[in-house]
Amino acid sequence: MRPPEDWAAPLPEEVQAYLRAAGQWSWPHRRAALRAELAANLYQAMLDQRLHLSEAQAWQAALREFGPPSRLWPFKLTLWRSGLALLTLGSVTYAAARSLGWP
């Protein structure tokens, strides 16, 4: 089975802006993978809407379905928790080293 020819078409500017905004809080080495996964899900949502809408309208409907990029706050919260855990671990390690008399 051959993929549709429009798979190689560039994404609309609104979708590219959405992907940039959604990926700004991710780790730099994971940003591309996050954007690719989100783009694939958005594309599928657009195809679902395309059954009864034009392509431009289908992209808009898919973006509305996903909501604003700020809705991805659980991901941002996970990053914040990871940073807090690393800070706590570093502080505990420092306190333990100082109590043992290590410089």
Side-chain angles (χ1 to χ4, degrees):
M1 182 172 156
R2 196 169 147 251
E5 293 175 11
D6 63 345
W7 278 12
L11 296 173
E13 182 56 40
E14 303 88 37
V15 176
Q16 292 178 20
Y18 185 91
L19 294 174
R20 281 191 301 273
Q24 74 183 9
W25 292 100
S26 66
W27 298 108
H29 63 281
R30 294 183 184 229
R31 195 169 292 151
L34 173 72
R35 288 180 182 167
E37 181 69 25
L38 188 54
N41 289 324
L42 276 169
Y43 188 77
Q44 183 59 51
M46 184 277 296
L47 290 177
D48 293 343
Q49 296 292 331
R50 184 94 188 262
L51 296 173
H52 51 85
L53 297 173
S54 70
E55 184 175 351
Q57 292 171 332
W59 276 116
Q60 291 301 319
L63 289 174
R64 278 193 307 273
E65 180 182 325
F66 273 67
S70 61
R71 195 177 116 186
L72 299 174
W73 70 269
F75 178 72
K76 296 175 191 175
L77 185 59
T78 301
L79 288 177
W80 185 81
R81 286 180 184 166
S82 300
L84 185 60
L86 289 174
L87 180 64
T88 303
L89 181 61
S91 299
V92 169
T93 304
Y94 177 76
R98 295 291 289 176
S99 69
L100 294 174
W102 294 349

